[in-house]
Amino acid sequence: MHILILGGGGFLGKRLAKELLENEVFTSSEPIDITLVDIGFPPDMLQDARLECIQADLSDEAAMKDILQRPPEVIFHLAAIVSGEAEKNLDLGMKINFHASLQLLELCRKLAIHPRIVFASSCAVFGGDVSKVITDETGPKPRSSYGTQKAMVELLMNDYSRRGIVDARSLRLPTIAVRPGKPNAATSSFISSIIREPLHGKKASYPVPVETAFWIQSPKRIMQNFIHAANLDAALLGADRVINLPGLTVTVKEMIDMLAQITSSEVTKLISYEPDAFLQSIVLTWPAHFTTKRATTLGFVSDASVKEIIQAYIEEEGITYI
Amino acid sequence: MHILILGGGGFLGKRLAKELLENEVFTSSEPIDITLVDIGFPPDMLQDARLECIQADLSDEAAMKDILQRPPEVIFHLAAIVSGEAEKNLDLGMKINFHASLQLLELCRKLAIHPRIVFASSCAVFGGDVSKVITDETGPKPRSSYGTQKAMVELLMNDYSRRGIVDARSLRLPTIAVRPGKPNAATSSFISSIIREPLHGKKASYPVPVETAFWIQSPKRIMQNFIHAANLDAALLGADRVINLPGLTVTVKEMIDMLAQITSSEVTKLISYEPDAFLQSIVLTWPAHFTTKRATTLGFVSDASVKEIIQAYIEEEGITYI
């Protein structure tokens, strides 16, 4: 079973590959082999005979055509220009987040391969009145170019699935916390930083009022949901291939308080409020309250508590603190 | 005041130009002049010193750039590959309905003109469970490539407006009835045909069960709504530039019965049921029940009754019948 991970050099892609190789979690009993595609790979990429890393740009049609010559049964499409960068650079965001995704679908069409595609969309497709509860019926009203591009690709994934060109599932990911590694250009980057950085003895700041709520999910649950999506019977999804993933509603304050409870108030002293108008203009349009009946019925999972999320991060990273 | 009508050779574009020239309906007191753009114009195009017809393809970048050199204050973007054709020819639908619209926005960006754009979207962005009532919050779930392409352009219109590149308003048009002229490749074409053709002594058929309900609006009200949209203060719209137009819910049977009442059962004898699987696969996914609070609050209008719609058509066309 051949699996392609686009954006395979990013933290989600790397972790997904590891998970798949370790657990062979596909309902198909065939042995798996994985091709990771990204513009670059970190030096600590895992080595495995079943794993191949190809350095290529998703927007490079010839390279992508070449890669798809050996048809994957499943494509995890995780490649993206993150929200902050896509907002600052409309051309780059459109090129990678939109046009390269359309090109992927068109290549599947031309090559007449019919892969299952798990597309990493985002709850950033929602925006506007953040007091409202988002349901499975609520329409995307993005307040960012990133959210706009993700919402357009969801529409394409649905239409190309309806036409039988691919068999896609678009997961609207909550904000991922706690993301390992370094802060990045995602406008949501701070939501991980305020937990991760202090645990490593470093300072961190949040740019929005401490009462601001977010809809979050841990990397561990995201992985489970990606794999679940890839295994899900198309008949259960019907014509609507877009799924709002379940998550947890949590405020910045609740995250910091829980970190203090798990560690100490010495650790959380490293966190400060630094208002940022650009980040606020995007982040404060994200709704934090959802009912995700469809996802739950379909078997997608969420974290039990913020405590569990922070403790899982501490464990996974092998962090020790006083 | 320079006005550009894309798709100006179609029946909506022609009628809009006529309406604008006759009534000078803009809040701006400047005299108006209109440029119509289309791939072709009918021989009966109206002649007026204030009117210019340019034969060009919306997807022709050089031609469109040339046209935009004299910046329009208002663009009515009515050009489209209709639903039936877009379903049968994915490439053509994507090219005109999606890519050419994106190109228009990109040209506005490059030329740094900031026109008000009235974009003719469609209630065909909705689909699925037709028993549900569509509200202002309901998300587009198109069940056709046409609806998909329209929904993607709405997202672009919103994002390019949010970024200050243009000032767009996307109107989701109900099915237009009664459309004058000949049957066309729109999957909704029969909804007009069953009224229009018998009034001209010709046969007509409907491809769906007679109890099927539709959400309709007359050309007269569509015109009023286009012009209202162009005059509307951007501040009243805020970040969400997409409007579900008000309409009337009516079944095929109700339309035929009303035609019989206005004319005679001799006329409606020309109408028959001819099931068509392709048309049903699209048309039966369109919801017919809406609440359009936002549109009504913003001053958009709908028809009073099916009777009014049919009588208006008879009057406009100067039809006499026994």
Side-chain angles (χ1 to χ4, degrees), chain A residues 140 155 158, chain B residues 83 119-128 134-135 138-155 170-174 242-245 282 285-287 290:
Chain A
L155 285 160
N158 263 12
Chain B
S83 50
F119 170 58
S121 186
S122 166
C123 285
V125 298
F126 297 109
I134 303 292
T135 74
T138 309
K141 295 192 178 176
R143 295 288 182 273
S144 68
S145 293
Y146 176 79
T148 299
Q149 291 148 11
K150 290 288 184 189
M152 289 198 295
V153 174
E154 290 176 353
L155 285 160
S170 302
L171 304 188
R172 287 179 179 151
L173 272 49
V242 184
I243 295 146
N244 293 339
L245 282 188
I282 307 261
T285 71
W286 293 343
F290 286 69

Side-chain angles (χ1 to χ4, degrees), chain A residues 145-161:
Chain A
S145 293
Y146 176 80
T148 299
Q149 292 147 12
K150 289 288 185 189
M152 289 198 295
V153 174
E154 288 176 355
L155 285 160
L156 286 176
M157 291 284 168
N158 263 12
D159 201 44
Y160 278 61
S161 295

Side-chain angles (χ1 to χ4, degrees), chain A residues 87 91 98-99 102 109 132 136-137 139 141 143-145 148 152 155-156 159 162-163 239-240, chain B residues 87 91 98-99 102 109 132 136-139 141 143-145 148 152 155-156 159 162-163 239-240:
Chain A
E87 191 60 24
D91 293 317
F98 179 73
H99 290 291
L102 170 55
R109 181 177 170 215
K132 283 194 187 153
D136 293 327
E137 301 303 319
K141 296 194 176 174
R143 296 287 182 272
S144 67
S145 293
T148 299
M152 289 198 295
L155 285 160
L156 286 176
D159 201 44
R162 191 184 59 82
R163 296 184 79 107
D240 187 7
Chain B
E87 191 60 24
D91 293 317
F98 179 74
H99 290 291
L102 169 56
R109 181 179 170 213
K132 281 194 188 155
D136 293 327
E137 302 302 320
T138 309
K141 295 192 178 176
R143 295 288 182 273
S144 68
S145 293
T148 299
M152 289 198 295
L155 285 160
L156 286 176
D159 201 44
R162 192 184 59 82
R163 297 184 78 108
D240 188 6

Side-chain angles (χ1 to χ4, degrees), chain A residues 116 118 169 171 224-232 237 300:
Chain A
R116 204 165 265 209
V118 178
R169 297 94 212 273
L171 304 187
Q224 288 179 296
N225 286 326
F226 277 154
I227 294 166
H228 183 64
N231 276 317
L232 211 57
L237 290 164
F300 290 95

